[in-house]
Amino acid sequence: MENPHYSVVEIDGPEAEALQAGVPVDKGRGRSAKQFTWVLLLRAHRAAGCLASLAAVAFIKGFLVLSLLALAVELTAYWNGWHLRRPSLTVPELHVPEVEEIQGWAHSAYLSWMSFRADYICRLIEFLSKSCVLLFVIQSLDRLVLCIGCFWIKLKKIKPRIEGDPFREGSGYVHPMVLVQIPMCNEMEGNPELGLVQARWSFVNTDENLLTRLQNINLCFHFEVEQQVNGVFLNFFGFNGTAGVWRIEALEGSGGWLERTTVEDMDIAVRAHLNGWKFIFLNDVKVLCELPESYEAYRKQQHRWHSGPMHLFRLCLPDIITAKISSWKKANLILLFFLLRKLILPFYSFTLFCVILPLTMFVPEAELPIWVICYVPVCMSFLNILPSPRSFPFIVPYLLFENTMSVTKFNAMVSGLFKLGSSYEWIVTKKSGRSSELDLFIQSGKETKGLSLGQIQKQLPDGELIENNMCKEQHDKVPHDVKKANKVYKKELVLSMLLLTAAARSLLSAQGIHFYFLLFQGVSFLLVGLDLIGEQIS
């Protein structure tokens, strides 16, 4: 399944269906035994992916049913006055009633459940919660170090500089006759180790809706902090797939483009780094792009962005271990680039805030501390928003939405790690088409202020002007931004019910901050599950 050399159309064509049904086909168009085997393997792979997805949904639904049952039991105990006093510093153990205090068989069964919960379930939850908290602290420290590195770059005004003087020949200078604005080949710059120059993305539709605003927060942190810091101090970062210039020797020497994963841009970057090439990130050079405005498109994009790196990690791990690079570069690739930022982050975010936190409401002996669910997440959110200060009013929606997206990211991470069917899925992200050449030129900023449309068009090349006119005519004829009915996302809806159920249980025991967090997080899952965030564009 790594590189079958057959297109999806070939494997899924009518001949393949005929072969599976046992119907003979023409000899000229017949399939070989090897191709038939690939058909069966592909079908089996897709079936395994569907079964895994169904198992995940069944697990979440079963978890919800148990939570509702536990809530009913807790409500009964609460109204009958059976609730036990919570442990405190002065009274560390739960108060167990004496025999004469037991009120019938139901009360006795409830006390047995309390004893079993405290002796067995509590220990398991405490182990999981401590593990997730440890991962949470490590990931938070990584974010803090990246932010300190970004602050140091700004303080020292560190920027990529050309080594030597490429235009000096002997005692004089030879300057180019034209200004090269979009380099399409190797530049004249006295660094042969440089393989990639990556520019920053900027977006034309940042303020379109709440979804695009929240995406902008993540991507601003990714470019200005992660990419810039890694570029300055490590000479390595993941290629973003566009807005970059490659040296042809780096591409050819690293094996070229491979279709073995859905993140071929990250794949070539990792292979080039293993071959000793250095990368430069230009934070001051901004290339206009467009953000997906519908949750459906964003969800599929995030699935590809999180399943692909895990799939790539499986393939690249032997090459990383045996590569002729320094040990600290190997450690950075394995521990930080892949494990911490691609695997651990979605794992602990989903497990800690969507599984363990609701569980602790029904097992109060394993309570999570307030700093885990409040103080540290808020501080990390502040750090994430620093590169985009205009987004500070959206800090609470951002925190809730990131936890909501952890379901999709966790599912994608598992899919890529175990090479399930969805890890091979590559769907082009749907966008509204606001980033046409003319739109980008208009959005490009200060140089277009005060210019009329005719003056702007005069500055465009003839070919682009003709193409823009043709696009405008088609744009006028065909309706765009056609709204469609909202989709329903079952996993998000089930988790919203689970979190709201846990919030109701938290209200019984008067856990203030836990109740509000679970309530708002449950509402966030509900809004996303009903597709009430972003636009619905066909």
Side-chain angles (χ1 to χ4, degrees), residues 518-538:
L518 289 167
L519 176 63
F520 292 137
Q521 191 66 71
V523 172
S524 175
F525 268 99
L526 183 62
L527 294 176
V528 171
L530 295 176
D531 199 11
L532 297 179
I533 182 172
E535 301 291 337
Q536 289 75 43
I537 301 174
S538 63

Side-chain angles (χ1 to χ4, degrees), residues 106-361:
H107 192 191
S108 178
Y110 179 71
L111 293 178
S112 300
W113 155 247
M114 293 286 289
S115 177
F116 176 79
R117 186 180 75 184
D119 293 338
Y120 299 100
I121 300 180
C122 175
R123 295 178 182 178
L124 176 61
I125 296 178
E126 284 182 342
F127 172 76
L128 291 175
S129 62
K130 289 178 180 178
S131 302
C132 289
V133 168
L134 177 62
L135 297 177
F136 179 45
V137 172
I138 294 174
Q139 197 271 336
S140 300
L141 289 175
D142 176 61
R143 289 290 176 97
L144 182 60
V145 170
L146 287 174
C147 291
I148 293 175
C150 183
F151 174 75
W152 182 260
I153 291 172
K154 290 186 177 297
L155 181 65
K156 296 296 183 178
K157 298 181 180 179
I158 301 175
K159 291 184 179 180
R161 290 183 175 86
I162 297 176
E163 297 180 4
D165 195 340
F167 301 116
R168 185 177 183 88
E169 290 187 1
S171 59
Y173 286 86
V174 179
H175 294 283
M177 298 301 294
V178 295
L179 174 64
V180 179
Q181 293 178 322
I182 306 178
M184 299 302 294
C185 192
N186 295 333
E187 297 186 62
M188 297 181 64
E189 197 271 323
N191 187 1
E193 298 178 347
L194 184 61
L196 168 67
V197 177
Q198 171 77 58
R200 179 178 176 172
W201 291 2
S202 184
F203 306 100
V204 297
N205 60 337
T206 300
D207 300 329
E208 190 64 29
N209 54 46
L210 179 60
L211 179 60
T212 58
R213 291 177 184 271
L214 299 179
Q215 291 180 66
N216 183 62
I217 295 174
N218 261 344
L219 290 172
C220 282
F221 181 86
H222 169 69
F223 283 106
E224 186 156 347
V225 179
E226 292 181 339
Q227 299 290 76
Q228 183 174 213
V229 172
N230 290 329
V232 169
F233 295 106
L234 300 176
N235 291 124
F236 167 73
F237 45 81
F239 175 47
N240 293 111
T242 186
V245 179
W246 277 93
R247 185 186 296 272
I248 190 64
E249 290 87 351
L251 291 177
E252 293 176 347
S254 303
W257 297 99
L258 298 179
E259 69 278 10
R260 58 180 182 171
T261 68
T262 58
V263 285
E264 64 276 8
D265 47 5
M266 182 183 293
D267 190 357
I268 185 61
V270 171
R271 285 185 280 119
H273 179 60
L274 295 180
N275 286 333
W277 292 99
K278 295 182 178 180
F279 302 164
I280 285 181
F281 178 76
L282 302 179
N283 189 57
D284 297 333
V285 180
K286 299 180 180 179
V287 179
L288 293 178
C289 303
E290 184 181 352
L291 295 165
E293 297 177 10
S294 69
Y295 177 70
E296 178 186 5
Y298 178 66
R299 188 170 183 260
K300 291 179 179 178
Q301 180 198 67
Q302 292 299 303
H303 187 279
R304 185 176 75 249
W305 286 5
H306 286 80
S307 66
M310 287 295 97
H311 190 182
L312 178 62
F313 177 63
R314 286 180 56 115
L315 299 176
C316 287
L317 183 58
D319 296 332
I320 296 174
I321 296 175
T322 58
K324 296 180 180 179
I325 58 176
S326 61
S327 299
W328 70 270
K329 288 186 176 180
K330 294 181 181 180
N332 171 69
L333 271 176
I334 296 175
L335 298 179
L336 295 181
F337 186 76
F338 279 112
L339 291 182
L340 183 61
R341 297 167 189 165
K342 310 298 181 185
L343 187 146
I344 290 178
L345 176 58
F347 171 78
Y348 88 75
S349 182
F350 171 76
T351 306
L352 187 63
F353 295 109
C354 300
V355 177
I356 294 179
L357 180 58
L359 271 177
T360 57
M361 297 301 100

Side-chain angles (χ1 to χ4, degrees), residues 436-473:
S436 66
E437 292 294 330
L438 184 59
D439 292 335
L440 292 179
F441 193 80
I442 294 175
Q443 292 281 348
S444 60
K446 299 179 180 179
E447 66 271 14
T448 61
K449 288 185 178 180
L451 297 181
S452 64
L453 181 60
Q455 291 173 322
I456 293 174
Q457 289 178 341
K458 288 180 181 179
Q459 298 183 24
L460 290 174
D462 293 340
E464 292 186 10
L465 182 58
I466 295 173
E467 184 177 354
N468 285 325
N469 290 335
M470 293 175 63
C471 292
K472 186 177 184 303
E473 292 177 0

